Amino acid sequence: MHESLIDADLLARRRQRFLEQLGGAAAVIPAAPLVTHHADVEHAFRQNSDFWYLTGFDEPGAVALFLPHRDDHPFVLFVEPKDPGAEVWNGFRWGCEGAVARFGADIAHPRAELAGRLGGYLEGAEGIAFRVGRHPEVEPLVLKAWARQLDRAPRHGQAALGLVAPCPLLHELRLRKSAEELERLREAARISAEAHELARQVARPGLNERQVQAVIEQHFLEQGARGPAYGSIVAGGDNACVLHYTANSAPLRDGDLLLIDAGCSLSDYYNGDITRTFPVNGRFSSEQRALYELVLAAQEAAVAVVAPGHTAEQVHDTAVRVLVEGLLDLGLLLGSIDSVIEQGAYRHLYMHRTGHWLGLDVHDVGAYRLGEHPVMLEPGMVLTVEPGLYVSDRLPVPEGQPAIEERWKGIGIRIEDDVAVTEHGRDVLTAAALKAPVAMER
Ligand code: GLY
Ligand code: MN
Ligand code: MN
């Protein structure tokens, strides 16, 4: 990518906020490395979202330093330097000059100099913010610099430094989306929703799941997205009861439902995440319709709970209550609503949570609980709402619950929207992907 993808002012404002939050600690934030696919072939590059959020720099192997104790150069980048020989093979690099001129670094050095320079830059910091366990190439350098400072501390009169995680600070920032970020999530939602509408138009008995996947992912690419945000799930019939089914290799069968969980990732990594489920032959069976209407009722009730002052936990609890009530009515569960919920006696039919934060990561960063307390929803937070039902023999029926009749088996349904919390409620970013039962039929 020759163009920088986010505006420089926005990035500078983010860095400023991060530097303020760091207090006196210096942060070391590495970029993602290239990841081997097989032999000497690499996966398409995917930048680390923390690094991207603060730099907008889309090359592997770089390292950003944030140095609040160095007023004259608080933002230092280590990057792969310009190298015509390497660029012939692997493409353009911004190099040190570009890192300063285009990405706002106060100073930039070749990546190979990190080991020699890191200790000096960290000197005088009140602590080091670095995520251990994630960056095997950078971690030994940080630990060495830290150890050196600890050794020298007694003679220099400095207090012993602490090593802290940058995540709470940075991830609290990422959890609250700016207006610009909400626009990008809206764009990811638009493209993803269009792809789902196209998929429903082409799906029919005899087509392979992968051919539907091709339609979806073609649309992502045609619209300028990088591609799918995660392995697209195109799951006919019982395959939909495998939550992370990505083989997408079976023929679609007359009489089955098709569950599609797919969303795009934009050029600047903002993601969509949508699930829709519809009958392959255009007509629900009565069992499919009953469960579809139930999941939809649960999803709509849960979406309606998304508002400032409520919590993601309440969104989940709402979905569970509607599902359990409906399953009791249909005879798929037995007992009182409260006892079934309390005992988790519905979990052979609904075994996952109802949503997650969404942003630069599909399962985006940010705490769901702080100590005892679930995090309150605030304007600018974005989450998915995605209840489902999965009827199969994979999990044992809990004691006291009824055996499942054959007519329900092989039905897997999930309905998933991306929802932004607004000042007075919510904005369903993915509303253009239809979900009314009548729209699922033809
Ligand atoms: N597609 C991943 C998820 O829905 O969480
Ligand atoms: Mn999701
Ligand atoms: Mn999904």
Coordinates of all heavy atoms in Angstrom, one line a residue, residues 93-126:
R93 N 8.6 -0.3 0.3 CA 8.7 0.0 1.8 C 8.8 1.5 1.9 O 9.5 2.2 1.1 CB 10.1 -0.6 2.3 CG 10.1 -2.1 2.3 CD 11.5 -2.4 2.8 NE 11.7 -3.9 2.9 CZ 12.8 -4.5 3.2 NH1 13.9 -3.7 3.4 NH2 12.9 -5.8 3.3
W94 N 8.3 2.0 3.0 CA 8.4 3.5 3.2 C 9.8 3.8 3.7 O 10.3 5.0 3.5 CB 7.4 3.9 4.3 CG 6.0 4.0 3.7 CD1 5.0 3.2 3.8 CD2 5.5 5.1 2.9 NE1 3.9 3.6 3.1 CE2 4.2 4.8 2.6 CE3 6.1 6.3 2.4 CZ2 3.4 5.6 1.8 CZ3 5.3 7.1 1.6 CH2 4.0 6.8 1.3
G95 N 10.5 2.9 4.4 CA 11.8 3.2 4.9 C 11.8 4.3 6.0 O 10.7 4.8 6.4
C96 N 13.0 4.6 6.5 CA 13.0 5.6 7.7 C 12.5 7.0 7.3 O 11.8 7.6 8.1 CB 14.5 5.7 8.2 SG 15.0 4.1 8.9
E97 N 12.9 7.4 6.1 CA 12.5 8.8 5.7 C 10.9 8.8 5.6 O 10.3 9.8 6.0 CB 13.0 9.1 4.3 CG 14.2 10.0 4.4 CD 14.7 10.3 3.0 OE1 13.9 10.6 2.0 OE2 16.0 10.2 2.8
G98 N 10.3 7.8 5.0 CA 8.9 7.8 4.9 C 8.2 7.7 6.2 O 7.1 8.3 6.4
A99 N 8.8 6.9 7.1 CA 8.2 6.8 8.5 C 8.1 8.1 9.2 O 7.1 8.4 9.9 CB 9.1 5.8 9.3
V100 N 9.1 9.0 8.9 CA 9.1 10.4 9.5 C 8.1 11.3 8.7 O 7.2 11.9 9.2 CB 10.5 11.0 9.6 CG1 10.4 12.4 10.0 CG2 11.3 10.2 10.5
A101 N 8.3 11.3 7.4 CA 7.6 12.3 6.5 C 6.1 11.9 6.4 O 5.3 12.8 6.4 CB 8.2 12.3 5.1
R102 N 5.8 10.6 6.3 CA 4.4 10.3 6.0 C 3.6 9.8 7.3 O 2.4 9.8 7.3 CB 4.3 9.2 4.9 CG 4.8 9.7 3.6 CD 3.8 10.7 3.0 NE 2.5 10.2 2.8 CZ 2.1 9.8 1.6 NH1 2.9 9.9 0.5 NH2 0.9 9.4 1.4
F103 N 4.4 9.3 8.2 CA 3.7 8.6 9.4 C 3.9 9.3 10.7 O 3.5 8.8 11.8 CB 4.1 7.1 9.4 CG 3.6 6.4 8.3 CD1 4.3 6.3 7.1 CD2 2.3 5.8 8.3 CE1 3.8 5.6 6.0 CE2 1.8 5.2 7.2 CZ 2.5 5.1 6.0
G104 N 4.6 10.5 10.6 CA 4.7 11.4 11.8 C 5.6 10.9 12.9 O 5.6 11.4 14.0
A105 N 6.5 10.0 12.6 CA 7.5 9.6 13.6 C 8.4 10.7 13.8 O 8.8 11.5 12.9 CB 8.3 8.3 13.1
D106 N 8.8 10.9 15.1 CA 9.8 12.0 15.4 C 11.2 11.6 15.0 O 12.0 12.4 14.5 CB 9.7 12.3 16.9 CG 8.3 12.8 17.3 OD1 7.8 13.7 16.7 OD2 7.7 12.2 18.2
I107 N 11.4 10.3 15.1 CA 12.7 9.7 14.7 C 12.4 8.3 14.1 O 11.5 7.7 14.7 CB 13.7 9.6 15.8 CG1 14.0 10.9 16.5 CG2 15.0 9.0 15.4 CD1 14.9 10.8 17.8
A108 N 13.1 7.9 13.1 CA 13.0 6.5 12.6 C 14.3 5.9 12.4 O 15.3 6.6 12.0 CB 12.2 6.5 11.3
H109 N 14.5 4.6 12.7 CA 15.7 3.9 12.6 C 15.4 2.6 11.9 O 14.3 2.1 11.9 CB 16.3 3.5 14.0 CG 16.6 4.6 14.9 ND1 17.6 5.5 14.7 CD2 15.9 5.1 16.0 CE1 17.6 6.4 15.7 NE2 16.6 6.2 16.4
P110 N 16.5 2.0 11.2 CA 16.3 0.6 10.7 C 16.0 -0.3 11.8 O 16.6 -0.2 12.9 CB 17.7 0.3 10.1 CG 18.3 1.7 9.9 CD 17.8 2.6 11.0
R111 N 15.1 -1.3 11.6 CA 14.7 -2.3 12.5 C 15.9 -3.0 13.2 O 15.9 -3.3 14.4 CB 13.7 -3.3 11.8 CG 13.4 -4.5 12.6 CD 12.6 -4.2 13.8 NE 12.2 -5.5 14.5 CZ 12.9 -6.2 15.3 NH1 14.2 -5.8 15.5 NH2 12.5 -7.3 15.8
A112 N 16.9 -3.2 12.4 CA 18.1 -4.0 12.9 C 18.8 -3.2 14.0 O 19.6 -3.8 14.8 CB 19.1 -4.2 11.7
E113 N 18.5 -2.0 14.2 CA 19.2 -1.2 15.2 C 18.4 -1.2 16.6 O 18.8 -0.6 17.5 CB 19.4 0.2 14.8 CG 20.4 0.3 13.6 CD 20.6 1.7 13.1 OE1 20.3 2.7 13.8 OE2 21.2 1.9 12.0
L114 N 17.3 -1.9 16.6 CA 16.4 -1.9 17.8 C 17.2 -2.4 19.0 O 17.2 -1.8 20.1 CB 15.1 -2.7 17.6 CG 14.2 -2.7 18.8 CD1 13.6 -1.4 19.1 CD2 13.1 -3.8 18.6
A115 N 17.9 -3.5 18.8 CA 18.6 -4.1 20.0 C 19.6 -3.1 20.6 O 19.7 -3.0 21.8 CB 19.3 -5.4 19.5
G116 N 20.3 -2.4 19.8 CA 21.3 -1.5 20.3 C 20.7 -0.2 20.9 O 21.4 0.5 21.7
R117 N 19.6 0.2 20.4 CA 19.1 1.5 20.8 C 18.0 1.5 21.9 O 17.6 2.5 22.5 CB 18.5 2.2 19.6 CG 19.5 2.6 18.5 CD 18.9 3.4 17.4 NE 19.8 3.8 16.4 CZ 20.5 4.9 16.4 NH1 20.4 5.7 17.4 NH2 21.4 5.2 15.4
L118 N 17.3 0.3 22.0 CA 16.1 0.3 22.9 C 16.4 0.8 24.3 O 15.7 1.6 24.9 CB 15.5 -1.1 22.9 CG 14.2 -1.3 23.7 CD1 13.1 -0.4 23.1 CD2 13.8 -2.8 23.7
G119 N 17.5 0.2 24.9 CA 17.8 0.6 26.3 C 18.0 2.1 26.5 O 17.5 2.6 27.4
G120 N 18.6 2.7 25.5 CA 18.8 4.2 25.6 C 17.5 4.9 25.6 O 17.3 5.9 26.4
Y121 N 16.6 4.5 24.7 CA 15.3 5.2 24.6 C 14.5 5.0 25.9 O 13.7 5.9 26.2 CB 14.5 4.7 23.4 CG 14.9 5.4 22.1 CD1 15.4 4.7 21.0 CD2 14.8 6.8 22.0 CE1 15.7 5.4 19.8 CE2 15.1 7.5 20.9 CZ 15.6 6.8 19.8 OH 15.9 7.5 18.6
L122 N 14.6 3.8 26.5 CA 13.8 3.6 27.7 C 14.3 4.2 28.9 O 13.6 4.3 29.9 CB 13.6 2.0 27.9 CG 12.9 1.3 26.8 CD1 12.8 -0.2 27.1 CD2 11.5 1.8 26.5
E123 N 15.6 4.7 28.9 CA 16.2 5.3 30.0 C 15.4 6.5 30.5 O 15.0 7.4 29.7 CB 17.6 5.7 29.7 CG 18.5 5.7 30.9 CD 19.9 5.2 30.5 OE1 20.0 4.1 30.0 OE2 20.8 6.0 30.6
G124 N 15.1 6.6 31.8 CA 14.4 7.7 32.3 C 12.9 7.5 32.3 O 12.1 8.3 32.9
A125 N 12.4 6.4 31.7 CA 10.9 6.1 31.8 C 10.6 5.6 33.2 O 11.5 5.1 33.9 CB 10.6 5.1 30.7
E126 N 9.4 5.8 33.6 CA 9.0 5.3 34.9 C 8.5 3.9 34.9 O 8.2 3.3 35.9 CB 7.9 6.2 35.4 CG 8.3 7.6 35.8 CD 7.2 8.5 36.1 OE1 6.1 8.1 36.3 OE2 7.5 9.8 36.0

